[in-house]
Amino acid sequence: MTLEPERLGRSKADLAETLRDLRKRAGLTGDRLAKRCAMSQSKISKIETGKTTASLMDVERILRALEAPPELVREVMAIAGLAKTEWQEKRSLWRMGLDKRQVELAALESESTEMRYFLPSMLTALLATPEYAKASLTHSPGDTSKTVSRKLERQAVLYDTSKRFTFLLTEQAVRWLIVPASAMTVQIDRLTSLSRLPNIRMGILLDGVTIPRGPLNPFTVYDDRLATAETFTGRIVFQDGRDVTQYREVFDMYAGFAVYEDEARNYLAARARSLLRDL
């Protein structure tokens, strides 16, 4: 099955409709199917009406109870995987208001305990200085001042010691001058300061290190329940446990090649000195 972004928005409804149709074709009532699956009838009803998105295990149990053929099982499981995935188009986010998006991110961060950020080319708003945050929105339409304020307000979560953050930056993320060199030195000073917080682990992937997998895009993993990947035109939100696990594994692989603590801070200091010499 081809992954088409427009399908992601329909997949939950598709899954509910497909499972409902399969039950009816099998000549089963919701109550009889529930008994075969060892589920409650109310759960079957919520799955079939789209009020609840079935887990992959639930879908497998339902398909076994319906004695679905292998080809149909593969097709429906693909739909179930998409139902756990959401495409958020950049243009839609613009229409909604980028400041509202920041509120959503703040809520997600407040609900999470352990967050992992892979940053191959730019810094996340949690690490940004005001000037960097403003510059990152240069190509966004409309007045972005409220969005910048929301980005900076989100940074308070970094000081909540009940939460743990790991940031992995490539050298590119530190070297890319979204702001002038003088402002970038201030940004680097902020990175250095944040790296000393007890609940923050900041790693840098240095040039010249052989890493067997290339960095395709920035992504974030929230606990073990959700992962997001950014593109130029939007972002994909993964809630399927298998997808989240894969992102965790990729993150851990990159983390094994990074430098941390004093070695990372020594690199940041050297980069700041280089920028100052060029002023």
Side-chain angles (χ1 to χ4, degrees):
M1 178 177 291
T2 302
L3 176 60
E4 302 170 357
E6 63 271 18
R7 288 206 60 183
L8 297 179
R10 303 196 310 263
S11 55
K12 293 181 182 180
D14 288 346
L15 179 62
E17 182 179 356
T18 298
L19 293 175
R20 183 172 64 250
D21 289 346
L22 288 175
R23 174 183 59 76
K24 289 181 177 179
R25 273 191 268 166
L28 295 176
T29 63
D31 186 56
R32 286 183 62 194
L33 176 60
K35 289 178 180 177
R36 286 192 182 187
C37 298
M39 295 182 189
S40 68
Q41 191 278 330
S42 63
K43 182 173 184 177
I44 293 291
S45 176
K46 289 177 181 177
I47 288 173
E48 291 187 354
T49 56
K51 293 180 179 178
T52 295
T53 302
S55 69
L56 296 179
M57 187 176 296
D58 288 340
V59 175
E60 287 176 349
R61 288 165 65 187
I62 290 171
L63 293 175
R64 281 199 302 270
L66 294 173
E67 300 179 348
E71 285 189 12
L72 183 57
V73 170
R74 287 193 292 271
E75 179 71 17
V76 177
M77 291 304 294
I79 295 173
L82 288 176
K84 290 290 186 179
T85 307
E86 179 184 356
W87 168 253
Q88 297 180 340
E89 185 185 39
K90 184 68 68 66
R91 289 185 292 271
S92 297
L93 296 176
W94 284 341
R95 288 193 295 271
M96 179 182 72
L98 292 178
D99 59 307
K100 294 182 177 64
R101 177 66 196 144
Q102 297 303 309
V103 173
E104 290 181 359
L105 287 172
L108 184 56
E109 289 153 359
S110 71
E111 295 165 358
S112 303
T113 299
E114 188 168 5
M115 288 156 272
R116 299 166 174 84
Y117 299 80
F118 179 64
L119 307 167
S121 56
M122 287 182 61
L123 305 179
T124 174
L126 291 181
L127 301 176
T129 61
E131 190 164 355
Y132 192 102
K134 181 178 180 181
S136 70
L137 294 169
T138 299
H139 298 288
S140 301
D143 182 5
T144 59
S145 57
K146 187 181 292 186
T147 303
V148 172
S149 296
R150 296 291 191 193
K151 281 177 176 280
L152 300 179
E153 288 170 6
R154 281 173 51 207
Q155 296 175 357
V157 75
L158 295 175
Y159 302 94
D160 182 346
T161 55
S162 69
K163 300 179 183 296
R164 298 186 301 279
F165 301 86
T166 304
F167 298 97
L168 289 182
L169 290 66
T170 67
E171 277 201 42
Q172 181 67 26
V174 181
R175 296 175 66 86
W176 194 272
L177 294 180
I178 290 178
V179 293
S182 58
M184 195 64 193
T185 61
V186 177
Q187 175 63 75
I188 290 173
D189 285 344
R190 174 168 169 76
L191 295 178
T192 301
S193 297
L194 290 175
S195 74
R196 298 183 186 279
L197 292 179
N199 60 328
I200 289 180
R201 188 177 189 225
M202 191 172 298
I204 299 177
L205 293 157
L206 299 176
D207 290 348
V209 176
T210 301
I211 302 176
R213 191 165 189 172
L216 299 179
N217 49 259
F219 64 85
T220 306
V221 183
Y222 298 89
D223 295 325
D224 295 320
R225 61 192 177 90
L226 188 146
T228 65
E230 304 285 340
T231 73
F232 275 117
T233 56
R235 76 173 198 156
I236 304 175
V237 181
F238 300 94
Q239 298 181 68
D240 184 334
R242 296 173 301 182
D243 291 328
V244 177
T245 296
Q246 187 167 1
Y247 272 98
R248 280 280 305 269
E249 291 172 351
V250 172
F251 188 92
D252 290 344
M253 182 275 294
Y254 285 130
F257 291 95
V259 298
Y260 301 90
E261 299 180 349
D262 287 344
E263 196 170 352
R265 287 189 282 270
N266 288 340
Y267 166 76
L268 292 173
R271 178 58 183 155
R273 288 194 299 270
S274 175
L275 288 171
L276 290 172
R277 282 197 302 268
D278 294 337
L279 290 178

